[in-house]
Amino acid sequence: MSNHTEHDEQRVLQEEDFENLHPEWGQKQFKRMVWKTRWKFFLNAGGALFLVFILYHIYVSSLHIYFDQSKVRNDFLRSIVSVVEMHGDGLRVEKPVHEAFEVSPFLTQKANLKIYRQVGSWEVITGEIEAELSISGKLSYTITNTGAYMNGNNTGPFFLPYSLVSDQAAPTSDSSDSNPMKRLAKIDDGHVAELSLSVKNLISPEQLMKLLANYDVGVTAMSIYAGELKEFDISYSRSGMYDYMTPHLTLKPLTLFGETGSSWYAYFAPDEAEQMQEQVQAMMSDLEWMTNNVQYNGLDVDQQRLAYLKKNGVQVYGAVVTGPVRELEKITKLPEFHQFQLNRVEIWNWN
């Protein structure tokens, strides 16, 4: 009997040793603790996001301060102008005084610029270019044309001289009955226009300017022969037995890029034939700068072209001219030219 009582007392004492002495929380106290924890989390997260926001804006502001320097900005503009205009046919890129360029957080420079053509004394907008230059130096761009007509003709192209594609003599043809010449003849005197033409034989830029010296026109572009189809393979198209058209480099009026901005000429004047060598040297210098400093589609071909031009000199086989329609009509009578195409026509604006 005594043993049983001692055992019961011992068991009770053991149960009391394991009794939970912590007070139970009320429902309100528990909710208050949860919300307090949540608010601390939200405040910490908000503070972190605000800090990231401030650091991001400091970073972006620093980028714009650097990329807004005239040298960096002008090099980007020069990349666009050089690559686009040197592969066009009288095409011009807008050269704004205050460049509206952007830079992304990944150091990619971006620009949206107008594309225009010189028709008479007017700069006629014909499209827009979206260009990007990555931190690696890769230039990419797309051109959106805003043609004036649903069924309008494309500008260009230029046909290679027959001597470059065939050993046979060039066929004789009368271009006066061609559609472009018929349209030109029906335009009255109060208009100016843009005309593309091909030269039957390779000639120097000075010789081309001398052919046009007696006419009141301006030359906005010349197609350069740089070894296409002879020295290296390149894509081409044909519209006849010997009418070959290939992508080409373009000799265009001089564009200068400096610390304070850029300046440029609208067109070559016929009485400036003596100054063409300066223009040619500027084009060669720009081509060398372009192939050394910019990565773009066709870079490898342009490097071959540059080597050819250094060895053989600059010769042209086509041009884009602008001026009064009657002066353009006179040019089509010259025996050295053929394959004419009438491009943009505007009301009289010739100085």
Side-chain angles (χ1 to χ4, degrees):
M1 183 72 176
S2 59
N3 289 340
H4 180 71
T5 303
E6 290 176 1
H7 176 73
D8 291 340
E9 291 177 355
Q10 202 172 32
R11 180 178 57 79
V12 171
L13 288 174
Q14 288 175 350
E15 289 178 354
E16 289 176 353
D17 289 339
F18 291 96
E19 184 179 359
N20 186 2
L21 300 178
H22 296 289
E24 294 184 0
W25 290 348
Q27 189 70 15
K28 291 183 179 180
Q29 290 176 317
F30 180 76
K31 289 183 177 180
R32 190 180 298 116
M33 184 204 68
V34 171
W35 278 109
K36 186 177 180 180
T37 304
R38 288 177 179 176
W39 275 114
K40 285 184 178 180
F41 173 79
F42 288 139
L43 288 175
N44 291 336
L49 290 175
F50 181 73
L51 180 61
V52 171
F53 176 79
I54 294 297
L55 293 175
Y56 173 79
H57 276 271
I58 293 175
Y59 171 69
V60 171
S61 298
S62 301
L63 286 182
H64 281 281
I65 291 172
Y66 172 74
F67 282 99
D68 281 345
Q69 296 181 56
S70 58
K71 184 181 186 305
V72 178
R73 189 174 59 236
N74 285 344
D75 282 351
F76 181 32
L77 179 61
R78 182 178 182 180
S79 299
I80 301 171
V81 171
S82 298
V83 174
V84 174
E85 293 188 356
M86 197 170 289
H87 295 94
D89 56 345
L91 203 64
R92 295 284 188 272
V93 177
E94 176 190 10
K95 305 168 186 67
V97 177
H98 302 289
E99 293 87 350
F101 296 159
E102 300 178 11
V103 56
S104 74
F106 301 102
L107 308 181
T108 297
Q109 299 181 72
K110 301 179 180 181
N112 291 340
L113 301 170
K114 301 295 183 185
I115 295 292
Y116 66 93
R117 304 187 72 87
Q118 192 76 33
V119 185
S121 299
W122 283 356
E123 296 171 345
V124 180
I125 296 174
T126 59
E128 187 176 273
I129 180 172
E130 295 183 11
E132 292 187 1
L133 183 66
S134 68
I135 187 61
S136 65
K138 174 69 174 179
L139 178 69
S140 59
Y141 63 90
T142 57
I143 295 178
T144 303
N145 293 315
T146 53
Y149 308 103
M150 291 289 289
N151 58 344
N153 290 327
N154 295 323
T155 55
F158 306 110
F159 294 86
L160 289 173
Y162 294 124
S163 59
L164 293 176
V165 297
S166 175
D167 296 331
Q168 300 181 12
T172 58
S173 61
D174 183 9
S175 62
S176 60
D177 290 334
S178 64
N179 286 333
M181 296 308 95
K182 288 179 179 179
R183 290 197 296 269
L184 185 61
K186 292 182 180 297
I187 301 174
D188 63 54
D189 295 350
H191 290 81
V192 296
E194 183 188 54
L195 182 73
S196 299
L197 57 88
S198 296
V199 186
K200 292 182 178 178
N201 298 289
L202 291 177
I203 59 176
S204 68
E206 293 89 348
Q207 290 173 316
L208 177 58
M209 296 302 293
K210 288 178 180 178
L211 288 173
L212 301 172
N214 296 325
Y215 304 93
D216 184 21
V217 295
V219 181
T220 62
M222 300 182 193
S223 56
I224 299 172
Y225 180 71
E228 292 85 359
L229 298 184
K230 288 289 186 178
E231 297 292 323
F232 56 88
D233 293 329
I234 193 171
S235 62
Y236 65 88
S237 58
R238 280 170 37 178
S239 64
M241 181 65 70
Y242 305 113
D243 295 330
Y244 282 75
M245 297 161 284
T246 67
H248 59 83
L249 292 177
T250 299
L251 177 63
K252 59 188 180 64
L254 183 62
T255 300
L256 300 174
F257 295 91
E259 291 294 331
T260 58
S262 58
S263 59
W264 62 96
Y265 295 88
Y267 47 74
F268 303 117
D271 58 356
E272 296 175 353
E274 294 78 10
Q275 302 177 14
M276 285 305 300
Q277 193 57 40
E278 178 185 353
Q279 301 276 0
V280 170
Q281 290 175 354
M283 183 277 299
M284 291 291 291
S285 176
D286 201 33
L287 178 60
E288 191 159 9
W289 179 90
M290 188 173 76
T291 54
N292 288 333
N293 294 278
V294 188
Q295 299 177 35
Y296 56 93
N297 291 333
L299 172 60
D300 54 339
V301 174
D302 282 353
Q303 290 172 336
Q304 296 180 74
R305 286 168 166 157
L306 178 61
Y308 178 90
L309 294 174
K310 284 183 175 180
K311 180 180 179 181
N312 299 281
V314 175
Q315 292 182 299
V316 299
Y317 64 94
V320 178
V321 295
T322 187
V325 292
R326 295 287 78 84
E327 293 296 303
L328 298 178
E329 195 172 15
K330 294 175 186 177
I331 290 174
T332 63
K333 309 298 182 183
L334 296 176
E336 292 86 354
F337 302 145
H338 70 144
Q339 301 290 4
F340 303 99
Q341 181 166 308
L342 181 63
N343 303 323
R344 295 296 295 256
V345 179
E346 299 289 338
I347 60 173
W348 183 268
N349 60 59
W350 191 246
N351 296 327

